[in-house]
Amino acid sequence: MSLWNQLTKILPEVLPPTPEEAINGTALLSLVKDRLIGDYAENTIRVHFSRMARDSSSPIARVDNGHGYYLRAESPEVANRSGLIEGSEPQRSEDAASRGLEAQQEERFRAFLSRFVERDGLLAMPINHARARRAAAGINKWKFPDLVLVDWDVDIIDEGDPNRLDPNLMKVKESLGEPLFHLSSVEVKVSLDASGFREAFFQCVSNSKWAHSAILAVAMPVSDKTLLEELRRLGTSYDVTIVSYSISAGQFDQLPSAGKIMDMTEREFDELAEVARPDTIVTGRPRDTLDWEYVKDLRVRSPDFVELFEWLSFCRKRERLYTFKTFKKLTELENGLSG
């Protein structure tokens, strides 16, 4: 099989779904070279990336400004995949352009939700499924959430500074064996309908087994009474919180890209956030503790879960709350200075 044909099959499994998550040629090379049959020079593979990106029928696209690559939305390979990325849900039969659009829509909503929950004092970390360690088919399916929300115990937050953690109260909590924070596993969906809601729900159940709470977050309104009743029944049975943010289709279409949402100032996002009207369909009961055996497995399979607990430890040691984005910037700066 030619290198072009091999890459056509491999690239849809490793490329990120949106331009905002585009990866450079070096990172992409590391993901594909061990899967190729044949002895190809690295430069030959890189040249193929570039050439294929100029072919509208190939699965790879290049960002408009820069050298990053991502999954081409209109690629015919997209519709034929069993899952968009390792660990994601199997795809129903639908045209490629529709699936590519859905992926981009979910990224926009995930970015919106990440910023929206900050207004309630929560912190969010996105989970990149594509970073998960490759495993046998099916092992990682429905294993990783889209977001992790962190809710630090209000009792340990300084009343005079909402970003400061009181060291004395933290020590007391820890000595009593009480948790300092609550972790929620979040599955994001743009919309739910009668044909796909069970798949979305049980995907949420599956990837939240490790966490204190499971949340299924839906961007658009859920108005069908029968569907609402089914969601309430399932949510109550499996202790899953289901929230619709009631963003109309027209309003959703006007949302900026995920990258622009994440870069907005607080004032800019406050204006954008007015489109959401959260409606809690059902509230699930939280678990008292994390499933540490499951967490251990997630840490082995995904570098994101290693970073999650590094971030929590960073905040604990610094006695201060930092967004995940700020944590990444600070650690990269400190590592650069120490190097």
Side-chain angles (χ1 to χ4, degrees), residues 59-74:
I60 185 172
R62 190 201 299 266
V63 295
D64 293 335
N65 297 307
H67 302 286
Y69 296 103
Y70 64 99
L71 185 65
R72 189 187 303 276
E74 65 270 24

Side-chain angles (χ1 to χ4, degrees), residues 21-240:
E21 293 182 299
I23 57 176
N24 61 33
T26 300
L28 183 57
L29 180 65
S30 69
L31 294 174
V32 305
K33 63 181 181 180
D34 291 338
R35 303 180 61 184
L36 294 170
I37 300 174
D39 187 15
Y40 298 100
E42 291 189 354
N43 188 57
T44 300
I45 302 172
R46 288 175 180 272
V47 169
H48 268 68
F49 293 161
S50 180
R51 289 176 178 172
M52 293 178 75
R54 295 195 294 269
D55 185 336
S56 61
S57 66
S58 79
I60 185 172
R62 190 201 299 266
V63 295
D64 293 335
N65 297 307
H67 302 286
Y69 296 103
Y70 64 99
L71 185 65
R72 189 187 303 276
E74 65 270 24
S75 166
E77 289 295 316
V78 176
N80 295 329
R81 293 170 55 184
S82 60
L84 182 62
I85 46 182
E86 182 81 14
S88 66
E89 72 273 22
Q91 304 304 315
R92 297 182 295 277
S93 175
E94 56 192 16
D95 63 87
S98 174
R99 177 55 215 165
L101 177 60
E102 181 183 334
Q104 294 177 27
Q105 288 178 330
E106 287 188 359
E107 282 304 303
R108 282 193 288 161
F109 180 48
R110 182 165 72 161
F112 180 91
L113 185 58
S114 296
R115 295 295 305 273
F116 192 88
V117 298
E118 291 179 3
R119 293 150 54 97
D120 294 325
L122 303 179
L123 298 175
M125 175 184 173
I127 301 298
N128 185 348
H129 301 190
R131 294 184 69 196
R133 193 180 73 180
R134 193 152 295 282
I139 295 296
N140 286 344
K141 186 171 72 172
W142 295 3
K143 197 174 190 70
F144 308 107
D146 294 317
L147 279 176
V148 175
L149 302 187
V150 184
D151 185 7
W152 286 85
D153 191 327
V154 68
D155 292 337
I156 63 174
I157 296 176
D158 192 311
E159 292 184 1
D161 182 351
N163 290 320
R164 180 178 178 272
L165 298 172
D166 188 303
N168 295 321
L169 291 178
M170 281 195 291
K171 289 178 181 178
V172 172
K173 285 274 187 179
E174 290 171 331
S175 68
L176 295 173
E178 296 184 15
L180 301 182
F181 48 76
H182 180 104
L183 300 181
S184 297
S185 174
V186 184
E187 179 68 26
V188 301
K189 295 296 178 187
V190 174
S191 61
L192 292 179
D193 57 31
S195 65
F197 78 94
R198 290 184 184 277
E199 182 177 301
F201 179 84
F202 284 107
Q203 182 178 357
C204 179
V205 171
S206 177
N207 62 36
S208 65
K209 293 180 180 297
W210 62 277
H212 291 114
S213 295
I215 300 174
L216 176 58
V218 188
M220 295 185 186
V222 181
S223 54
D224 183 275
K225 292 184 178 179
T226 302
L227 178 55
L228 282 170
E229 186 59 34
E230 285 295 314
L231 289 172
R232 291 190 183 102
R233 184 178 296 113
L234 286 170
T236 300
S237 297
Y238 290 89
D239 288 323
V240 173

